[in-house]
Amino acid sequence: MILDKFSLKGKSGIVTGASQGLGTGIAQGVVQAGANVILASRSAERLEGFAEELRQYDTEVLVVPTDVTQKSDLEKLVQATFDAFGKIDFLFNNAGTNRRAASEEFTEEDWDLILNTNLKSVFLLSQLVARHMIRQGGGSIVNTGSLMCVSGGKTIPAYAASKGGVLQVTKALANDWAKYNIRVNAIGPGYFKTPLTEALRQDPVRNRELSERIPMGRWGEPEDLAGVAVFLASEASSYMTGQIVYVDGGWLSL
Ligand SMILES: NC(=O)c1ccc[n+]([C@@H]2O[C@H](COP(=O)([O-])OP(=O)(O)OC[C@H]3O[C@@H](n4cnc5c(N)ncnc54)[C@H](OP(=O)(O)O)[C@@H]3O)[C@@H](O)[C@H]2O)c1
């Protein structure tokens, strides 16, 4: 039956960037759908607090403090997930960061930080997880893109480059790994209320401009990603790969 295909009961996987913001909405969705999950980010304390909330849903929720810019951390994360659950059915590459500055002033240090966090980690972690998925006979990888997968934004040259890259690596890996039954897709969130966008929301001019430009008339909440996260991780999307699903209150339609 169709609703059974959305179930993640008996499945297990990883959500990065799960200590706050969009990762919490994604993790909540997959846990409520029955999955066992490893929450990963740098802040052990915030992860543990959120894991405790999720344990009410009676699945296994574990925490692995991870800096996604450190390859050795990524290796430990994948090993810990395999040790805990014996398989890795899904991976959400969601950790990300941003810095804003006029492009003529943008520093090399910020460029490297953003590209390493938002793009390089997506490739490296996907590669590590895919090696397990190939042995298992398949899996689902879901990357968090952005409207900046297809737009340049203003004062965010590194972020825009990283998210353009996320869409391209999503397609490239989808092509290479389709033969292993590994699906690779992306979610493209519009403007969401998270700590990442706090400064934008505090700026009355930008806040009004952005809010008025969203056809649905409101910023997204992390829970607004839960449904699409479950869909992309589950069998319900079994013939879908190399795609991005925008969840933007209509932004790109305007
Ligand atoms: N909010 C939006 O409107 C929006 C729109 C489009 C796309 N996105 C994307 O959605 C994703 C999540 O963004 P958000 O809005 O939820 O941002 P956020 O509130 O700042 O949360 C970012 C998450 O990423 C983690 N993180 C950052 N750097 C990390 C690192 N080096 N290693 C491990 N984890 C790291 C943070 O945890 P720790 O600090 O604990 O490490 C946190 O859990 C990002 O990829 C972002 O680009 C957001």
Side-chain angles (χ1 to χ4, degrees):
M1 297 294 281
I2 184 61
L3 286 183
D4 297 332
K5 293 196 172 187
F6 285 83
S7 172
L8 295 175
K9 248 190 175 26
K11 307 262 186 203
S12 51
I14 299 169
V15 181
T16 71
S19 62
Q20 63 179 33
L22 299 188
T24 63
I26 292 169
Q28 191 137 32
V30 297
V31 165
Q32 286 184 7
N36 299 319
V37 172
I38 299 274
L39 306 178
S41 83
R42 291 162 303 182
S43 161
E45 203 178 320
R46 274 187 287 140
L47 287 175
E48 200 43 66
F50 179 50
E52 206 39 53
E53 272 179 47
L54 290 181
R55 289 185 185 122
Q56 66 175 299
Y57 299 109
D58 283 338
T59 72
E60 246 184 290
V61 181
L62 305 174
V63 158
V64 179
T66 305
D67 181 340
V68 298
T69 65
Q70 302 303 310
K71 193 173 180 194
S72 58
D73 278 18
L74 298 178
E75 288 165 346
K76 284 184 207 146
L77 170 62
V78 172
Q79 192 58 50
T81 310
F82 191 72
D83 290 348
F85 303 132
K87 62 190 179 117
I88 309 175
D89 298 301
F90 59 82
L91 163 66
F92 284 88
N93 280 307
N94 169 74
T97 193
N98 196 5
R99 293 279 189 285
R100 291 176 180 274
S103 287
E104 63 276 20
E105 307 294 343
F106 208 87
T107 66
E108 184 177 353
E109 193 189 5
D110 281 351
W111 176 275
D112 287 344
L113 174 78
I114 291 166
L115 269 291
N116 287 339
T117 307
N118 296 6
L119 182 57
K120 187 176 176 188
S121 77
V122 170
F123 174 68
L124 291 179
L125 186 53
S126 297
Q127 187 182 51
L128 290 166
V129 164
R131 290 174 185 154
H132 285 280
M133 289 177 168
I134 289 168
R135 280 197 294 274
Q136 287 162 208
S140 173
I141 296 174
V142 184
N143 301 322
T144 302
S146 161
L147 298 174
M148 301 311 144
C149 289
V150 287
S151 298
K154 285 182 179 171
T155 69
I156 51 167
Y159 187 84
S162 73
K163 292 298 181 178
V166 165
L167 181 55
Q168 287 300 94
V169 84
T170 298
K171 293 177 185 178
L173 298 181
N175 293 337
D176 282 352
W177 295 341
K179 61 176 177 285
Y180 301 120
N181 194 31
I182 299 171
R183 299 182 298 107
V184 189
N185 291 291
I187 298 174
Y191 286 89
F192 276 67
K193 285 187 196 162
T194 70
L196 190 72
T197 55
E198 181 71 33
L200 276 181
R201 278 176 291 118
Q202 291 309 323
D203 177 338
V205 177
R206 286 294 282 146
N207 192 354
R208 201 185 55 248
E209 280 173 3
L210 292 171
S211 302
E212 285 174 0
R213 164 101 178 48
I214 300 169
M216 292 190 77
R218 67 170 178 90
W219 288 57
E221 303 282 350
E223 307 83 84
D224 288 318
L225 291 189
V228 74
V230 170
F231 171 63
L232 290 175
S234 72
E235 287 304 307
S237 59
S238 58
Y239 192 54
M240 196 171 156
T241 197
Q243 295 300 312
I244 182 164
V245 181
Y246 290 101
V247 182
D248 64 358
W251 179 281
L252 283 179
S253 302
L254 194 63

